[in-house]
Amino acid sequence: MVVSGHNYGTPTQLNITGTASPTISGTTLSVTHGMPFLCGGYVSRSGTNLLFAPFKGNHVACWNDVSSSWNAEAIPDAGITVACTGLSANTAYFLYVYNNAGTLTLDLSTTGTSTKNGILVKSAVQARTLIAYCYAN
């Protein structure tokens, strides 16, 4: 899986580096070393998962539909993960983060983006902030 960074509307392509890619359900995943996102975290490979962990801060902006405002959500020290199982080869994915009833959660999805106050969010689900672009190969 190739991962591109996102920093408030400016995607940055990351180069594939590091160790050999694992094979999961016939899909080869390649993820680069950590890259900071939204000034508080980075995404990296952790075994067969993607890990979003603190980096130079420990907060990420998430939209709150109830209060109609952006909240700075704390990223746990150990980070949060999402499994990269069941992905379709040669498919683009978007990695979103959101507050799920008080728990910061990752969403790996093929659903594209829209903007909320200039920040890329999941189309039709604006409470999910884009933190990375991914490609299963």
Side-chain angles (χ1 to χ4, degrees):
M1 176 174 285
V2 177
V3 176
S4 294
H6 176 262
N7 189 4
Y8 288 103
T10 307
T12 305
Q13 181 68 39
L14 303 178
N15 296 320
I16 300 301
T17 59
T19 60
S21 301
T23 299
I24 306 169
S25 302
T27 302
T28 301
L29 302 175
S30 302
V31 177
T32 63
H33 293 288
M35 171 71 181
F37 297 101
L38 303 174
C39 302
Y42 71 95
V43 174
S44 67
R45 184 176 60 210
S46 176
T48 58
N49 297 323
L50 292 179
L51 168 71
F52 180 55
F55 179 78
K56 294 187 178 182
N58 67 341
H59 287 82
V60 62
C62 291
W63 180 254
N64 183 316
D65 285 327
V66 175
S67 65
S68 295
S69 63
W70 288 99
N71 292 340
E73 301 292 346
I75 305 166
D77 289 341
I80 54 176
T81 61
V82 64
C84 295
T85 56
L87 301 180
S88 299
N90 303 313
T91 303
Y93 289 89
F94 300 89
L95 183 61
Y96 300 99
V97 63
Y98 66 103
N99 182 331
N100 183 10
T103 301
L104 212 52
T105 305
L106 295 177
D107 174 16
L108 192 56
S109 172
T110 57
T111 301
T113 64
S114 62
T115 59
K116 181 72 174 176
N117 303 117
I119 297 174
L120 290 172
V121 295
K122 188 173 184 178
S123 182
V125 187
Q126 295 184 339
R128 297 181 186 208
T129 304
L130 179 70
I131 58 171
Y133 301 103
C134 307
Y135 186 79
N137 53 5

